């Protein structure tokens, strides 16, 4: 019996039938197909987040110059504000509100009598105290259940205060996971923000999509891109701003880092404004180099290409000695990695460059194209996703512009440039690796016992369970207050942190007290 069967065989027949298509072992040369983006089984401790977490917690949450009011209980607000590590800097021209947690703090009486008055009061206070250019409202589960019309409140406030006010109906129960929230956020930003600015196009302008500046990743990526000579219009949304995002339509090219969270915007920008998009990976040396060369190939400027190669050589030389050392310390180690978006795929490449083989991997909220590549599109929509609005955009007659002709784009695609293309996780995962979609706590612990990886990468929900099992763990949703991990310097930081974790014996030396002595003592009653 292989590892997959040993784990799944412990389920009831009903659970086995559901999970068997979500857990597969990669077979080289075989058509690897996996079930994804379906409702998690009630009662199983899934590691997914909710629709609200995907909208507020991931996509719109990092926007620094926006007052983001969560209409719902205070716990929801704190969750989306306090558990993500999106860094941002304000200046004399840009306010930064990320230090604040804004909430209507709904109570039982608000559930009974409605919370619209409380929301209006919160908006009034925010305007008077902070004077923002934009307010965004995110609703949580109770709001959808009682029927507060946050969109009407937003429209009224926008007219009253003469600022942009955008509402997102992202109640946690919508969709099957936080992926639904990404979609809702993308739609709202596209309808209400992107394209409303009046900036003029600048040569070699790009948008960086799906980068959330965890631990300073966005700053490191932008540093390298600016060093080569690119003009960065906006970052969506790490250290991003409403002021910059309004002019995102002026870019020549969109770079998509996290495919799952923001591919909708990339596709809509292509349709409405003519902006092509490239799938990139700025995690891991080989991924960074390939992505920078792909961008240079798109613009096809000899000077830009030469500058790209010079920057790559310089950046690589600066970290070369350290990377050689850490690789020697990590050679032949194994890892398990469960993260959202495209992160699992990105870090597989970085670990591979360090000599670490990923033997167990998966996503929290992926769709099949994140695993198998966009060639499997279109996908059949899950019934639970049908309550997520799907908007249609059309070509903007005044702002539509293209950098290349259709013929040139076709040539670039045929040459291998990943324009509107993503091969998915299967492109780089090792043969025989175990893949688990929508992983849960039982499967996590069971596979760790069977496969015994040297390190586990995931999030806060399972970090301490893993460490108590004797396996070192690193968070890839917040970097355990380290980072950045993107870019050349980020790769060195990552290699250092993984080396320290793997070579720290504390995790295997610590033993739970109940494993060595009984903690419950009692007598069997009714006997003499």
């Amino acid at each position: 019996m292989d590892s997959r069967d040993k784990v799944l065989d412990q389920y009831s027949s009903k659970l086995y039938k559901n999970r068997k298509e979500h857990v597969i072992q990669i077979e080289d040369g075989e058509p690897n197909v996996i079930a994804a983006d379906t409702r998690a089984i009630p009662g199983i401790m899934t590691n997914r987040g909710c629709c609200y977490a995907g909208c507020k917690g991931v996509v719109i949450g990092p926007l620094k110059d926006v007052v983001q009011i969560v209409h719902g209980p205070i716990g929801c607000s704190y969750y989306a504000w306090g558990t993500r590590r999106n860094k941002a800097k304000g200046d004399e021209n840009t306010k930064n509100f990320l230090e604040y947690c804004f909430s209507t703090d709904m109570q039982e009486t608000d559930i009974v009598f409605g919370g619209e008055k409380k929301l209006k009061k919160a908006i009034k206070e925010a305007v008077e105290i902070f004077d923002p250019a934009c307010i965004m409202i995110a609703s949580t589960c109770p709001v959808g259940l009682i029927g507060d019309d946050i969109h009407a409140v937003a429209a009224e406030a926008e007219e009253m205060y003469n600022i942009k006010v955008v509402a997102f109906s992202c109640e946690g129960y919508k969709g099957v996971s936080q992926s639904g929230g990404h979609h809702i956020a993308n739609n709202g930003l596209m309808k209400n923000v992107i394209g409303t600015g009046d900036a003029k196009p600048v040569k070699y302008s790009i948008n960086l999509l799906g980068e959330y500046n965890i631990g300073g990743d966005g700053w490191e990526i932008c540093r390298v891109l600016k060093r080569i000579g690119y003009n960065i219009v906006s970052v969506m949304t790490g250290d991003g701003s409403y002021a910059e995002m309004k002019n995102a339509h002026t870019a020549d090219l969109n770079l998509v880092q996290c495919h799952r969270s923001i591919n909708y915007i990339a596709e809509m920008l292509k349709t409405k404004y003519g902006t092509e998009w490239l799938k990139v990976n700025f995690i891991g040396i080989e991924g960074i180099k390939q992505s920078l060369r792909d961008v240079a190939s798109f613009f096809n400027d000899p000077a830009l290409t030469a500058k790209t190669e010079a920057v790559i050589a310089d950046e690589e030389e600066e970290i070369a000695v350290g990377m050689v050392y850490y690789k020697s310390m990590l050679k032949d180690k194994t890892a398990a990695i469960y993260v959202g978006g495209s992160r699992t795929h990105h870090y597989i490449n970085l670990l591979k460059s360090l000599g670490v083989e990923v033997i167990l991997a998966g996503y929290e909220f992926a769709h099949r194209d994140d695993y198998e590549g966009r060639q499997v599109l279109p996908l059949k929509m899950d019934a639970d996703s049908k309550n997520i609005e799907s908007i249609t955009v059309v070509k903007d007659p005044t702002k539509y512009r293209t950098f290349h002709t259709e013929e040139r784009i076709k040539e670039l695609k045929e040459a291998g440039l990943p324009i509107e293309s993503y091969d998915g996780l299967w492109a780089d995962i090792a043969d025989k690796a175990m893949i688990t979609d929508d992983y849960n706590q039982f499967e996590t612990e069971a596979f760790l016992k069977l496969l015994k990886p040297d390190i586990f990468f995931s999030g806060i929900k399972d970090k301490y369970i893993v460490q108590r099992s004797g396996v070192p763990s690193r968070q890839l949703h917040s970097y355990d207050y380290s980072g950045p991990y993107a870019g050349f310097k980020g790769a060195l930081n990552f290699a250092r942190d993984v080396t320290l974790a793997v070579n720290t014996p504390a995790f295997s030396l610590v033993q739970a007290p109940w494993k060595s002595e009984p903690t419950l003592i009692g007598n069997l009653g009714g006997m003499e």
Side-chain angles (χ1 to χ4, degrees), residues 305-318:
T305 300
K307 182 65 174 177
T308 298
E309 293 301 329
V311 168
I312 288 174
D314 187 48
E315 295 280 341
E316 213 171 3
E317 182 181 4
E318 189 173 340

Side-chain angles (χ1 to χ4, degrees), residues 87-389:
K87 292 189 171 185
K89 297 176 182 176
D91 53 40
E92 63 275 8
N93 299 316
T94 308
K95 297 177 181 179
N96 181 7
F97 302 124
L98 290 194
E99 294 178 355
Y100 300 95
C101 180
F102 301 96
S103 173
T104 55
D105 186 22
M106 291 184 76
Q107 302 294 315
E108 288 88 344
T109 53
D110 302 312
I111 303 299
V112 175
F113 298 107
E116 290 183 16
K117 289 182 179 179
K118 200 169 190 179
L119 177 57
K120 292 177 182 179
K121 183 179 179 182
I123 294 171
K124 181 175 184 292
E125 289 180 0
V127 171
E128 291 173 349
I129 297 171
F130 296 99
D131 188 30
C134 179
I135 291 177
M136 292 183 179
I137 305 163
S139 60
T140 61
C141 291
V143 176
L145 296 173
I146 66 175
D148 278 358
D149 191 343
I150 62 172
H151 298 276
V153 173
E156 179 183 317
E158 183 168 310
E159 185 176 351
M160 182 181 298
Y161 301 115
N162 196 30
I163 62 172
K164 177 63 71 174
V165 184
V166 185
F168 297 86
S169 294
C170 54
E171 294 84 5
Y173 55 76
K174 286 186 175 179
V176 300
S177 68
Q178 56 263 59
S179 176
H182 302 153
H183 203 156
I184 290 169
N186 282 213
N187 289 346
L189 294 175
M190 194 70 195
K191 287 194 296 184
N192 299 286
V193 180
I194 296 171
T196 61
D198 55 7
K200 301 299 180 185
V202 177
K203 190 177 182 181
Y204 299 149
S205 290
I206 57 177
N207 292 315
L208 182 56
L209 277 59
E211 169 47 52
Y212 303 106
N213 203 34
I214 297 173
D217 278 353
W219 293 335
E220 182 61 19
I221 295 169
C222 289
R223 180 188 68 82
V224 175
L225 290 170
K226 288 177 180 177
R227 189 179 174 193
I228 292 173
Y230 297 109
N231 173 59
I232 299 172
V233 179
S234 69
V235 179
M236 299 187 196
T237 53
D239 195 32
S241 70
Y242 164 73
E244 293 171 343
M245 193 181 294
K246 291 192 299 182
N247 297 305
H249 63 288
T250 65
D252 298 316
L253 178 66
N254 290 318
L255 307 183
V256 175
Q257 173 84 342
C258 175
H259 174 259
R260 183 72 273 135
S261 67
I262 213 158
N263 66 84
Y264 313 103
I265 280 182
E267 291 163 7
M268 287 187 285
L269 280 169
K270 161 67 176 174
T271 301
K272 189 171 184 178
Y273 300 111
T275 319
E276 299 290 348
W277 65 269
L278 282 175
K279 177 69 181 73
V280 295
N281 174 21
F282 292 114
I283 304 291
I285 305 302
E286 294 308 314
I288 300 163
K289 294 192 311 189
Q290 186 60 55
S291 294
L292 292 177
R293 286 167 177 154
D294 285 344
V295 178
S297 296
F298 177 86
F299 288 109
N300 195 31
D301 182 324
L304 201 62
T305 300
K307 182 65 174 177
T308 298
E309 293 301 329
V311 168
I312 288 174
D314 187 48
E315 295 280 341
E316 213 171 3
E317 182 181 4
E318 189 173 340
I319 65 170
V321 174
M323 291 299 285
V324 169
Y325 168 73
Y326 292 127
K327 186 173 182 178
S328 70
M329 297 291 288
L330 295 170
K331 190 171 185 276
D332 297 327
K333 299 295 184 183
T334 59
I337 178 167
Y338 285 129
V339 206
S342 303
R343 280 180 177 270
T344 294
H345 186 185
H346 294 163
Y347 279 93
I348 283 173
N349 290 315
L350 177 49
L351 288 164
K352 189 184 296 184
S353 70
L354 293 168
V356 180
E357 182 180 358
V358 174
I359 58 175
L360 178 63
Y363 290 122
E364 296 175 32
F365 50 79
H367 298 195
R368 276 184 56 202
D369 49 316
D370 298 302
Y371 291 102
E372 303 171 48
R374 291 179 63 87
Q375 61 269 18
V376 301
L377 296 176
L379 296 170
K380 181 181 179 182
M381 183 179 290
D382 185 273
D384 291 300
S385 297
K386 290 182 179 178
N387 59 3
I388 305 299
E389 180 189 19

Side-chain angles (χ1 to χ4, degrees), residues 28-88:
D28 190 26
E30 295 295 324
N32 296 292
V33 178
I34 192 167
D37 193 38
T38 60
R39 180 188 291 185
I41 301 170
I44 278 189
M45 294 182 69
T46 177
N47 283 288
R48 282 175 169 173
C50 65
C51 179
Y52 160 77
C55 180
K56 168 62 172 69
V58 176
V59 180
I60 68 172
L63 291 170
K64 59 188 175 185
D65 61 347
V66 176
V67 167
Q68 300 184 41
I69 301 175
V70 175
H71 189 34
I74 192 63
C76 298
S77 305
Y78 186 83
Y79 169 74
W81 169 77
T83 60
R84 293 281 289 182
R85 192 163 166 258
N86 308 114
K87 292 189 171 185

Side-chain angles (χ1 to χ4, degrees), residues 14-46:
K14 183 178 180 180
L15 290 182
Y16 176 84
K17 182 179 180 180
N18 178 284
R19 291 300 298 163
K20 66 183 178 67
E21 296 179 355
H22 291 264
V23 182
I24 69 170
Q25 189 166 23
I26 293 296
E27 298 290 343
D28 190 26
E30 295 295 324
N32 296 292
V33 178
I34 192 167
D37 193 38
T38 60
R39 180 188 291 185
I41 301 170
I44 278 189
M45 294 182 69
T46 177

